[in-house]
Amino acid sequence: MMHSFNQSIFHPAVFFLTGIPGLEISHAWISIPFCCLYAIALSGNGMILFVIITESTLHEPMYYFLSMLSFTDLGLCLSTLVTMLGIFWFNAREISFDACIVQMFFIHGFTFMESSVLLAMAFDRFIAICNPLRYATILTNSRIIKSGFAIVIRGTTALVPLLLLLKRLSFCQSHVLHHSYCFHPDVMKLSCTDTKINSAFGLAIVISTAGIDSILILLSYVLIIRSVLSIASREEQKKAFGTCISHISAVAIFYIPMISLSLVHRFGKHSSPYVHTLTANVYLLIPPVMNPIIYSVKTKQIRKAMLKIFLSKRI
């Protein structure tokens, strides 16, 4: 009996997820805006994928990368949809340790994939503006397919050892997580054993993926700006910068919430639970919600293709 008791202490069968602390009685009402955000994210990204697949005029490198971005956003939404709405609707806070590991794999995997897709889109803009004559020969369909596979492999391979390292930890403190989904730093904090290896390996993965990606994206835009400023015509400069606005917006709404959440976990030990909840939900929901809105508003070809589909449905 004592042996099984110790096992339950050190290797928890379940963790407990958190909705909005202190507002549990209002979770049903709070779920309404969350449902709206999920609906916008799923329908918006689904529509962009559908439009790019069905419209032959959009079968170009820029839109292939945009379809990859929509795919990763869909994956991020679906990774947390069940647990988040389960908490708000049914107060289903329990999640098994293994299910938590699986959810972390998908959340972090799609996050790293999205970072890689944004880098690929920055490279696409760099080639289109700085070397337009070789654009079609550099970004061929076969290279785009290979880059898609590379993005998936890069986003998931390093996560396997990271999550296996998590399974070796012992958990003898509280099993209550700060978020409505499993997040690696959040789970790691609950361990009562040494987590230096886990922290170092996790930091190395973040630096080698999102860290390097952000530096290369910044570098690509430095080269793009230098190339655009060398163009004599003001009209051509404006047109060149206009093609980058959507991507710059997507980069900002992805990296700013991610950096904010990382800072909260690293330095916000004594901050309000509402800060943890707000940053966690912004990090997870804002990019999938905003990306389809940005690209459908700012990209004329996407907007025209969507209108064409809607009008044909009405007719």
Side-chain angles (χ1 to χ4, degrees):
M1 180 72 102
M2 183 60 72
H3 174 73
S4 63
F5 176 74
N6 286 337
Q7 283 291 101
S8 67
I9 290 177
F10 291 102
H11 298 282
V14 294
F15 285 115
F16 294 93
L17 302 170
T18 301
I20 310 294
L23 296 176
E24 288 81 5
I25 196 168
S26 304
H27 272 177
W29 292 105
I30 294 169
S31 71
I32 295 172
F34 278 95
C35 286
C36 292
L37 290 174
Y38 272 113
I40 292 168
L42 294 173
S43 59
N45 287 292
M47 175 59 75
I48 284 181
L49 271 175
F50 178 75
V51 163
I52 292 171
I53 291 167
T54 55
E55 284 295 315
S56 57
T57 56
L58 299 179
H59 292 176
E60 296 177 9
M62 174 184 172
Y63 302 110
Y64 289 141
F65 289 127
L66 177 56
S67 68
M68 293 180 198
L69 184 68
S70 292
F71 175 78
T72 56
D73 282 337
L74 280 172
L76 263 179
C77 283
L78 293 172
S79 298
T80 58
L81 179 66
V82 175
T83 54
M84 190 173 285
L85 295 185
I87 292 168
F88 288 137
W89 289 349
F90 310 110
N91 197 33
R93 296 179 56 214
E94 291 187 8
I95 184 169
S96 71
F97 184 59
D98 290 332
C100 196
I101 293 284
V102 171
Q103 188 179 48
M104 277 188 284
F105 176 81
F106 283 108
I107 289 173
H108 293 294
F110 281 118
T111 298
F112 295 144
M113 278 189 261
E114 182 151 345
S115 177
S116 299
V117 171
L118 290 171
L119 174 60
M121 294 174 85
F123 180 71
D124 169 82
R125 291 298 83 210
F126 168 72
I127 298 297
I129 292 171
C130 300
N131 203 347
L133 297 178
R134 295 190 60 201
Y135 183 78
T137 56
I138 293 173
L139 291 173
T140 60
N141 286 346
S142 63
R143 283 178 179 166
I144 291 169
I145 292 168
K146 287 175 184 175
S147 68
F149 281 115
I151 285 167
V152 173
I153 292 167
R154 182 179 183 239
T156 55
T157 304
L159 284 175
V160 176
L162 180 70
L163 298 177
L164 288 176
L165 282 171
L166 197 64
K167 293 201 78 168
R168 73 177 181 85
L169 298 180
S170 299
F171 298 87
C172 52
Q173 300 177 19
S174 168
H175 296 163
V176 179
L177 299 170
H178 285 101
H179 310 314
S180 52
Y181 55 87
C182 291
F183 188 64
H184 180 262
D186 198 21
V187 174
M188 196 170 58
K189 278 182 182 178
L190 301 182
S191 174
C192 55
T193 50
D194 186 19
T195 59
K196 286 179 183 175
I197 295 174
N198 299 70
S199 296
F201 193 69
L203 183 62
I205 291 174
V206 171
I207 291 171
S208 63
T209 51
I212 290 175
D213 292 347
S214 59
I215 291 168
L216 292 176
I217 289 169
L218 182 63
L219 177 62
S220 70
Y221 273 102
V222 169
L223 297 173
I224 286 170
I225 290 168
R226 192 178 72 173
S227 177
V228 170
L229 291 178
S230 67
I231 300 171
S233 169
R234 276 296 182 113
E235 195 61 37
E236 288 296 318
Q237 286 181 356
K238 187 178 176 182
K239 186 179 176 182
F241 280 127
T243 63
C244 300
I245 293 297
S246 299
H247 180 253
I248 292 169
S249 303
V251 169
I253 63 172
F254 174 76
Y255 281 105
I256 291 172
M258 185 174 71
I259 292 167
S260 301
L261 184 60
S262 300
L263 291 174
V264 166
H265 272 282
R266 192 159 290 274
F267 304 110
K269 292 179 181 178
H270 304 293
S271 60
S272 167
Y274 294 109
V275 174
H276 284 269
T277 303
L278 179 63
T279 52
N281 290 325
V282 166
Y283 156 75
L284 198 74
L285 283 173
I286 294 303
V289 168
M290 291 304 298
N291 282 337
I293 295 172
I294 289 168
Y295 277 95
S296 59
V297 170
K298 291 289 184 182
T299 310
K300 187 167 72 173
Q301 291 85 342
I302 294 287
R303 190 168 65 250
K304 284 172 67 177
M306 285 184 171
L307 286 171
K308 181 182 172 183
I309 289 171
F310 283 130
L311 289 173
S312 64
K313 294 272 185 191
R314 286 190 67 181
I315 292 169

